[in-house]
């Protein structure tokens, strides 16, 4: 077994089979040319592509965004997943503008060249929905906050990226540095986005038919995919990756946790009535309604939601915060979508508008998702603020009792 490497290619001979791994930067003109020339020169029996069937369909069907039904997306509780997918796609698109390249062009170039030469292709990446859901579910509360922060920075911070910088993404030292930063800041996300997908990609590349397989991958996956292919060939690991192909079900602990905060809030309000009297109880209820309603409404205002949406967010937040089944973001988002119905032009310009902050406010689909996100964040902050206020009120009540008792003995 003799393995050879270059900056953008890895040549592997494993168990009598040959694998050529071609590393790309997803918005690089040079990568497009290198992918096409590699397929011509290597003449593989199969070309493996770092795409899943869903993304392939989107790349082939330029009108797919017109079919976006934001109402159904919110009802299925996929608002955050759609928002994350749009933001990441828009970021890649923004990076490709200086080079005049659209995200995924090198993958489509590989498919087109393979079809010209009558070479079979295989889509070997994990579905994006599965990847995003696993990344979300594996994060702690603070990890989720960090992830939201990264998405916000990705969506609203504009940096000019030169073509030369894009080409650096194919160099191992540059990519290793980036992966180390991600690993330190969000290790669970790096595990899902990189490590798990390295194994998934390697497993499906291994299962491709033919004695010579050429795989077109993002440069960041080259080392990991090589490692897993060599481990599979040496029978050190199985090519079965069913465990990382599914969305992990919610654990019993997380299901119970979804009820803990509402139960604690109700218990605190009841305690205020029992120990503090009617007035204290009323203050507790008022505190809960005000904190939740005001901050959820403030989120809708920040999203420039319709006045009715703002009112609905403010009124529904105190109730939805006590119900794990339906969040205020879904309610407010649905109201915004029904009042300001997305137009065909919004669907056509969805990816272009997602490139900058102004586009999020201009595009009605993105505005709905912004309402969903900001009202959810507002209500979450309101829940903790109201809970802290209730605890402070009860603590103050007991302090008064203690002080009264002490005064009796003085």
């Amino acid at each position: 077994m003799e393995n050879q490497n270059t900056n953008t290619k890895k040549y592997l001979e494993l168990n009598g089979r040959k694998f050529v791994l071609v590393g790309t930067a997803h918005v690089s003109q040079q990568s497009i040319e290198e992918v096409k020339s590699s397929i011509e020169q290597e003449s593989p029996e199969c070309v493996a592509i770092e795409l899943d069937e869903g993304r392939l369909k989107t790349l082939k069907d330029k009108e797919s965004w017109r079919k976006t039904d934001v109402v159904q997306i919110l009802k299925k509780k996929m608002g955050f997943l759609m928002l994350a997918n749009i933001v990441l796609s828009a970021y890649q698109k923004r990076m490709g503008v200086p080079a005049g390249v659209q995200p995924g062009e090198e993958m489509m170039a590989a498919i087109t060249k393979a079809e010209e030469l009558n070479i079979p292709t295989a889509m070997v990446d994990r579905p994006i929905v599965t990847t995003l859901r696993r990344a979300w579910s594996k994060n702690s509360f603070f990890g989720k906050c960090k992830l939201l922060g990264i998405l916000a920075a990705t969506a609203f911070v504009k940096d000019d990226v030169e073509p030369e910088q894009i080409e650096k993404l194919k160099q191992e030292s540059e990519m290793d540095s980036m992966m180390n930063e991600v690993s330190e800041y969000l290790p669970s996300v790096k595990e899902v986005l990189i490590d798990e997908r390295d194994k998934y990609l390697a497993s499906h590349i291994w299962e491709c038919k033919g004695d010579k397989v050429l795989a077109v991958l993002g440069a960041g996956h080259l080392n990991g995919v090589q490692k897993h292919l060599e481990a599979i060939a040496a029978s050190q690991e199985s090519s079965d990756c069913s465990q990382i192909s599914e969305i992990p079900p919610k654990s019993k602990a997380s299901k119970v946790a979804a009820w803990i905060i509402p139960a604690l809030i109700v218990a605190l309000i009841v305690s205020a009535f029992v120990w503090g009297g009617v007035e204290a109880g009323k203050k507790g209820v008022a505190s809960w309604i005000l904190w939740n309603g005001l901050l959820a409404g403030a989120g809708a205002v920040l999203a420039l939601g319709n006045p009715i949406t703002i009112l609905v967010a403010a009124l529904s937040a105190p109730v939805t915060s006590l119900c794990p089944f339906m969040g205020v973001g879904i309610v407010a988002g649905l109201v915004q979508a029904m009042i300001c119905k997305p137009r065909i032009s919004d669907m056509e310009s969805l990816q272009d508008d997602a490139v900058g902050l102004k586009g999020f406010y201009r595009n009605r689909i993105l505005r709905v998702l912004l309402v969903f996100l900001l009202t959810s964040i507002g209500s979450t902050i309101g829940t903790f603020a109201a809970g802290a206020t209730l605890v402070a009120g009860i603590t103050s009540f007991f302090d008064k009792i203690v002080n009264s008792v002490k005064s009796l003995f003085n």
Side-chain angles (χ1 to χ4, degrees), residues 138-309:
K138 278 180 168 287
N139 261 295
S140 64
F141 173 76
F142 293 107
K144 289 180 171 68
C145 292
K146 286 183 179 180
L147 191 55
L148 288 173
I150 290 173
L151 287 173
T154 301
F156 304 139
V157 175
K158 287 190 175 182
D159 293 322
D160 293 329
V161 183
E162 298 299 325
E164 294 77 12
Q165 292 175 287
I166 293 173
E167 295 307 321
K168 284 184 179 180
L169 294 177
K170 296 187 291 186
Q171 299 176 14
E172 289 184 14
S173 58
E174 293 285 335
M175 194 56 64
D176 289 343
S177 176
M178 288 176 62
M179 291 305 101
N180 288 334
E181 288 182 16
V182 173
S183 180
E184 290 176 7
Y185 189 64
L186 279 175
S188 58
V189 171
K190 189 258 185 183
E191 177 189 350
V192 174
L193 296 185
I194 305 299
D195 299 340
E196 286 187 359
R197 285 179 61 221
D198 284 347
K199 176 172 176 55
Y200 190 99
L201 289 164
S203 297
H204 284 73
I205 291 169
W206 182 263
E207 292 171 0
C208 288
K209 295 180 180 179
D211 291 330
K212 187 174 186 179
V213 178
L214 184 145
V216 182
L217 310 166
H221 292 292
L222 284 182
N223 289 334
V225 169
Q226 176 183 0
K227 181 187 72 174
H228 286 292
L229 281 172
E230 290 173 343
I232 292 170
S235 299
Q236 294 173 349
E237 68 178 57
S238 169
S239 62
D240 177 32
C241 54
S242 56
Q243 287 187 341
I244 59 172
S245 302
E246 301 174 352
I247 300 167
K250 287 187 177 181
S251 64
K252 290 182 179 179
S254 63
K255 290 178 181 178
V256 171
W259 289 97
I260 288 177
I261 292 178
L264 285 174
I265 294 297
V266 171
L268 287 171
I269 292 174
V270 171
S271 299
F273 274 105
V274 172
W275 291 314
V278 174
E279 287 303 315
K282 286 181 178 179
K283 285 182 180 179
V285 172
S287 173
W288 173 254
I289 293 173
L290 285 173
W291 276 113
N292 253 280
L294 285 176
L295 291 180
V301 170
L302 285 175
L304 297 185
N306 183 275
I308 297 176
T309 302

